[in-house]
C-alpha cells in the first residue's frame, strides 16, 4: 500500500480543491443554493476518508473513499436537477437567441430571452439536446413557450422532453455507492 500513497494524496488534494471550488461558487452566487455547500461537504469526504484509511492501513476504506464522494455527488446533482426541473412551472413566451455547447460540442442548450415581472432576462435552459434534435426543436429568433421557476426566473427549461440523463446519473450514482459499500463490507 505504500506505493500508492502518492496517488491517494493526489486524490485527496483533488477532493480539497473541488470542495473549495464549491464553497467559492456558493459565496459568489447571488441566489444562495444549498446544493453547492452539500457538494463541498461531499468532496471534503474524499481526503478525510482517504486519510483515515491510510492511517488505519485499511485498503478497503481507501478504495471505498474514492467511490463515496463521486457517487454521492452524482446522486445529489441528479436530485438537484430533478428538483430544479420540477420547480419550473410558469409558462412564459421566450425568444431563442443563441445556444451553448457542452460535452465536446455534442450537446446544445438553448439560450432564451424573456421578460418577467418587468425585468428582461437572458439565460440558458438547463435542458440540453443532441445537435440534430436541437436543430429540429429550435431556431434562432423564434419564440417558444418555456417553463420558468417563479421564485428564481433565471432557471428555465423546455419541457418538451424529460431529461432522461438525470435518471442515468442517479442510477450510476446508486451503483457506485453500492459498490463502495460492498467493498467496505465484503472485501
Amino acid at each position: 500500500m505504500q506505493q500508492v500513497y502518492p496517488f491517494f494524496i493526489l486524490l485527496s488534494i483533488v477532493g480539497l480543491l473541488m470542495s473549495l471550488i464549491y464553497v467559492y461558487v456558493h459565496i459568489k452566487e447571488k441566489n444562495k443554493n444549498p446544493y453547492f455547500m452539500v457538494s463541498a461537504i461531499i468532496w471534503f469526504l474524499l481526503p478525510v476518508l482517504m486519510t483515515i484509511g491510510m492511517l488505519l492501513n485499511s485498503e478497503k476504506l481507501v478504495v471505498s473513499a474514492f467511490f463515496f464522494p463521486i457517487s454521492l455527488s452524482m446522486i445529489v446533482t441528479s436530485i438537484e436537477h430533478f428538483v430544479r426541473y420540477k420547480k419550473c412551472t410558469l409558462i412564459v413566451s421566450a425568444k431563442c437567441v443563441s445556444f451553448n455547447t457542452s460535452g465536446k460540442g455534442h450537446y446544445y442548450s438553448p439560450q432564451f430571452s424573456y421578460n418577467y415581472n418587468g425585468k428582461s432576462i437572458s439565460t440558458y435552459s438547463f435542458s440540453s439536446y443532441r445537435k440534430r434534435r436541437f436543430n429540429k426543436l429550435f431556431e434562432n429568433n423564434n419564440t417558444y413557450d418555456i417553463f420558468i421557476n417563479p421564485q428564481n426566473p433565471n432557471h428555465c427549461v423546455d419541457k418538451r422532453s424529460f431529461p432522461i440523463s438525470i435518471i442515468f446519473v442517479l442510477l450510476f450514482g446508486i451503483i457506485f455507492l453500492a459498490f463502495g459499500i460492498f467493498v467496505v463490507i465484503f472485501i
Side-chain angles (χ1 to χ4, degrees), residues 66-128:
F66 177 72
F67 288 100
F68 286 129
I70 291 173
S71 63
L72 290 175
S73 182
M74 292 170 78
I75 291 168
V76 168
T77 300
S78 60
I79 290 172
E80 191 268 338
H81 274 78
F82 183 73
V83 168
R84 184 185 286 189
Y85 180 85
K86 285 298 194 183
K87 285 185 177 181
C88 291
T89 57
L90 182 66
I91 298 175
V92 297
S93 188
K95 182 187 280 191
C96 180
V97 293
S98 182
F99 62 89
N100 187 23
T101 61
S102 62
K104 296 183 181 178
H106 296 293
Y107 294 96
Y108 291 69
S109 297
Q111 180 183 14
F112 293 110
S113 179
Y114 50 93
N115 291 317
Y116 181 71
N117 284 345
K119 290 195 308 188
S120 181
I121 299 170
S122 181
T123 187
Y124 290 98
S125 171
F126 64 87
S127 293
S128 58

Side-chain angles (χ1 to χ4, degrees), residues 13-177:
I13 292 170
V14 168
L16 282 174
L17 289 175
M18 288 295 293
S19 181
L20 291 174
I21 288 170
Y22 277 115
V23 169
Y24 176 77
V25 170
H26 177 74
I27 291 170
K28 291 294 183 182
E29 189 181 57
K30 292 176 194 166
N31 302 320
K32 299 295 182 197
N33 188 343
Y35 162 75
F36 291 114
M37 286 311 293
V38 170
S39 295
I41 292 167
I42 289 170
W43 278 103
F44 189 71
L45 282 175
L46 180 65
V48 169
L49 290 175
M50 286 210 170
T51 303
I52 292 170
M54 287 188 284
L55 291 174
L56 296 175
N57 204 22
S58 170
E59 291 179 10
K60 294 191 302 185
L61 189 56
V62 171
V63 171
S64 65
F66 177 72
F67 288 100
F68 286 129
I70 291 173
S71 63
L72 290 175
S73 182
M74 292 170 78
I75 291 168
V76 168
T77 300
S78 60
I79 290 172
E80 191 268 338
H81 274 78
F82 183 73
V83 168
R84 184 185 286 189
Y85 180 85
K86 285 298 194 183
K87 285 185 177 181
C88 291
T89 57
L90 182 66
I91 298 175
V92 297
S93 188
K95 182 187 280 191
C96 180
V97 293
S98 182
F99 62 89
N100 187 23
T101 61
S102 62
K104 296 183 181 178
H106 296 293
Y107 294 96
Y108 291 69
S109 297
Q111 180 183 14
F112 293 110
S113 179
Y114 50 93
N115 291 317
Y116 181 71
N117 284 345
K119 290 195 308 188
S120 181
I121 299 170
S122 181
T123 187
Y124 290 98
S125 171
F126 64 87
S127 293
S128 58
Y129 304 91
R130 292 260 187 200
K131 183 178 182 179
R132 188 167 53 182
R133 177 111 168 109
F134 178 86
N135 289 334
K136 285 181 184 179
L137 293 174
F138 302 104
E139 281 187 39
N140 280 346
N141 297 320
N142 281 358
T143 303
Y144 301 94
D145 286 338
I146 63 168
F147 293 83
I148 65 168
N149 180 347
Q151 284 78 35
N152 189 350
N154 286 324
H155 292 174
C156 72
V157 66
D158 169 60
K159 287 192 176 184
R160 288 188 263 181
S161 63
F162 181 77
I164 197 76
S165 59
I166 293 172
I167 303 301
F168 285 123
V169 172
L170 179 64
L171 288 175
F172 280 119
I174 291 170
I175 290 169
F176 274 29
L177 183 63

